[in-house]
Each structure stands twice: as C-alpha cells, then as structure tokens.
Amino acid sequence: FVRFVQLLREGREPRAAAKVAFGQAPEQVDARWRERVLGARPDVTASEREQEDEVEVDEAGARERHAIATETDPQVLAGQIRGLERCGSALTARLLIELLDKRASDRIEEAIALVLSRTRDEETTAYLRGKGYAGAGDFGRATLCRVFGIARDRDAIPLLRGALDDSFWLVRAHAARSLALLDDTEAIPALEKLATHASAKLRIAAMDALATFGPRAAATVAPVAENLEHGAWQVRVTACEALKAIGSREAVTPLIERLDHEGGRVRQEIVLALQALTGMERDWPAELWRLWWTKQERIEALEEKMRAELGREGEDGEPDGRYARPPEPPPTYYGVRI
C-alpha cells in the first residue's frame, strides 16, 4: 500500500500504480479486499489461480479490454483508458481506434490520444501507422495524426504528408501541425498551399504550422499576409501571429496597410507584430508607421550599398586596420546563470 501511495505521489495513473504495487488490476485487488472484510478469505494475498490473471503494467488484459469496450459512462470510460497508461499491443490499439469513431466525446478522445502518444512498442507503433490508420474513421485518423506529432514519430512523416490531402478537414489540420512538430521542412510548400484553402479552419492550422518553422518559412510571407484580409477575425489574428513568428520584414508593409482597417483584438495583434518585426515599441497610427518605414527602408538600402562598396574595396583580403579583430581563441567568461 505504501508503494501504491508513493507511485501516486510520483504522478502515475492510479490504475497503473495499482498494477505495479499489487500486481493486478485495482478491481481484482478490491474484490479480494471485500472478501477479506466479509470473512470469505483469510487474507488479501492472491491465490495461485488468481495470480494467473495478473496483467503486465505495459499492457491491458482481455478483462480490461472487455470492460473498456462495454463501458457506457464517458467519465468512467476515460478513467479506464487513462489507467492503461500506455498501449502495448495491436489488440488494445485497435480497440482504442474504434472507440474514437464510436464515442463522440472530447474527454475520451483526449484520454486515447494520451495513451497512444506514450506508446513505445515498435510493433504497436507500426500497426498505428499501417492497418490502424487505414482502418480508422474520420476522427480516428485525425487523432492518430495528432498522436504521431506528439510522440515525435518521424517514421510517420510520409503518412502525414499524404494526410494533407485527406477528405476530412480535421485530419488535414492535425497532419499540418504534426509535420511542424516533426520539423519536416520539405512539407512547407504544401503547408503554404493549405494556408490559402477555402476552409478557415485549415488556414489557421496551416499558419500555426508555418509559424513553428520560424524564419525558415520566410518564403511563405506573401500567402500568409493574404489572410490579413480574410472575413473571419480568427484567421486575421492567426496571420498576425504567424508573420510575427516567421520574422520576415517583408510582412511589415502589409501589416501597416491593414492597421487602419482594424480595431480591438486584431489591431492589437497587428501592433504587436509590427513591434516585434521592427524593434520599435510604438503604438502609432498607420500614417506614422508608413512614414517611418519608408525612411527606414531608404536607410537600410544605403547601408546595404555601403557594405557592398566596402566589400569591394577589401577584396584583396588584407585587413584595413580600422576595426579591432576578435580575440583568438575567444575569451572564457565565468559567472552564475540567472
């Protein structure tokens, strides 16, 4: 019992903690305890026959799978699924995937996604990417795409790329997000195309994914900026956040042009994006931003021209002695990290 409480304090799921501490699922331990209290048995120790029904912590037994398959209360079912802690066989994986399409419940979906994302068994993960995904319904495929990203399963990248063309929008949205989590830069062109899709939800998912790549998605600034004029304010807000994360100064002009047309949350996001891209902590009206940015572009053009000319003067590779050279080797600094 002390071991059971210790596992709970460590953050283990109660059902999994009971399996580790008592060697059996909690309902079996509870049944023995009830019999002991009622005087039907001398102690709570499992008999040899009862020990044969013990299940491993990493996998659900037939009894647990049956209980999950027949449970009707969503809250109880979600608790039973979380108690699995992780999925250790294709049988359990198939049951959980079937539940995703049979039980329309966010609570159950989250519990299944949590358990599947903890799966480390190679045979089970191969099943999820293969027969499991192929036989899943719309919500099953969507959750699996999400799971592959959370689990950082790079072997699922080809499948996720293909999922960007799925007929169900949620599958495409989760696939976009997972490809970003897996840092698949080759998917950026496909995500760029998705950022101008007719579906507002897909645009948001694609821009969120592009924002994850940061400066590496600089080539997608133009299609992302088009969403600043979308009819849905949620899309416009996401576009501002994506442009800020990508960090390309090419987004400054379209942001300024949109500033006078917005108010409230959207205008606030535009100002935050402009401040991040320009380094100017100002809340100017569009006209002042426009005047300042025009001058700034001219200054940057002159600086670039000067750098080019100085570079041509020093083509012989000899230092001109006007600037200090960095020390070699670089100095070592000692201090306390704050």
Side-chain angles (χ1 to χ4, degrees):
F1 178 78
V2 173
R3 175 61 174 156
F4 173 66
V5 175
Q6 181 182 9
L7 291 170
L8 292 179
R9 291 173 62 87
E10 292 174 358
R12 296 291 293 272
E13 292 289 343
R15 190 176 186 84
K19 289 181 182 179
V20 174
F22 301 115
Q24 290 183 316
E27 61 269 14
Q28 296 171 268
V29 179
D30 183 65
R32 296 203 305 269
W33 177 256
R34 290 173 182 270
E35 292 176 0
R36 170 67 181 87
V37 172
L38 295 174
R41 62 188 304 154
D43 54 44
V44 296
T45 305
S47 64
E48 293 184 3
R49 181 176 180 180
E50 289 170 335
Q51 289 177 352
E52 295 176 359
D53 295 331
E54 291 183 355
V55 295
E56 296 294 336
V57 179
D58 292 339
E59 178 47 18
R63 183 180 302 180
E64 285 184 289
R65 287 196 294 268
H66 176 74
I68 291 173
T70 56
E71 181 59 56
T72 58
D73 187 311
Q75 185 171 354
V76 175
L77 177 58
Q80 290 176 330
I81 294 171
R82 287 197 311 273
L84 297 177
E85 196 168 33
R86 60 179 60 87
C87 182
S89 75
L91 287 174
T92 304
R94 182 175 63 183
L95 172 61
L96 297 179
I97 293 172
E98 290 175 355
L99 288 175
L100 287 170
D101 293 295
K102 290 181 179 178
R103 308 292 178 88
S105 168
D106 291 340
R107 183 191 294 266
I108 295 174
E109 178 186 342
E110 289 299 317
I112 293 176
L114 177 65
V115 171
L116 292 180
S117 64
R118 291 171 174 171
T119 299
R120 297 295 180 266
D121 179 67
E122 290 295 334
E123 183 179 350
T124 306
T125 54
Y127 172 81
L128 294 176
R129 294 190 297 266
K131 293 182 179 179
Y133 184 86
D138 289 346
F139 288 100
R141 296 196 309 277
T143 303
L144 286 175
C145 286
R146 179 186 171 198
V147 165
F148 295 144
I150 297 173
R152 300 300 193 270
D153 185 1
R154 297 194 60 81
D155 291 334
I157 287 179
L159 184 151
L160 292 169
R161 291 177 182 172
L164 292 177
D165 296 321
D166 196 276
S167 58
F168 188 44
W169 73 269
L170 190 58
V171 176
R172 304 173 77 174
H174 281 313
R177 180 60 177 161
S178 290
L179 285 169
L181 292 175
L182 293 170
D183 200 34
D184 181 25
T185 54
E186 295 183 15
I188 290 179
L191 296 173
E192 177 183 357
K193 183 179 179 181
L194 206 62
T196 56
H197 193 274
S199 169
K201 294 177 180 179
L202 283 179
R203 290 189 183 214
I204 291 174
M207 288 189 289
D208 277 341
L210 290 172
T212 305
F213 291 104
R216 291 175 295 172
T220 67
V221 167
V224 172
E226 292 179 12
N227 289 291
L228 293 172
E229 301 182 3
H230 194 274
W233 69 268
Q234 296 92 336
V235 176
R236 301 199 298 275
V237 166
T238 306
C240 294
E241 294 174 342
L243 293 172
K244 179 172 63 175
I246 292 172
S248 174
R249 293 166 72 86
E250 294 180 7
V252 173
T253 298
L255 286 167
I256 293 175
E257 295 304 321
R258 192 63 194 173
L259 193 57
D260 277 344
H261 301 279
E262 300 292 352
R265 167 74 186 280
V266 181
R267 188 185 189 283
Q268 180 183 6
E269 292 296 337
I270 292 177
V271 172
L272 291 174
L274 286 171
Q275 292 175 348
L277 294 174
T278 63
M280 293 294 291
E281 298 293 329
R282 298 290 188 271
D283 188 3
W284 290 330
E287 186 58 31
L288 281 179
W289 273 112
R290 194 176 293 110
L291 289 172
W292 177 84
W293 183 240
T294 301
K295 294 179 180 179
Q296 188 67 18
E297 286 182 314
R298 292 174 182 172
I299 294 173
E300 290 180 357
L302 288 173
E303 290 177 346
E304 183 64 28
K305 183 179 179 180
M306 292 175 61
R307 282 194 294 268
E309 292 177 353
L310 290 173
R312 286 196 297 270
E313 291 177 0
E315 286 180 354
D316 55 359
E318 294 295 329
D320 55 15
R322 291 180 296 171
Y323 304 102
R325 300 181 65 181
E328 295 181 0
T332 301
Y333 296 92
Y334 300 92
V336 178
R337 183 179 297 276
I338 304 300

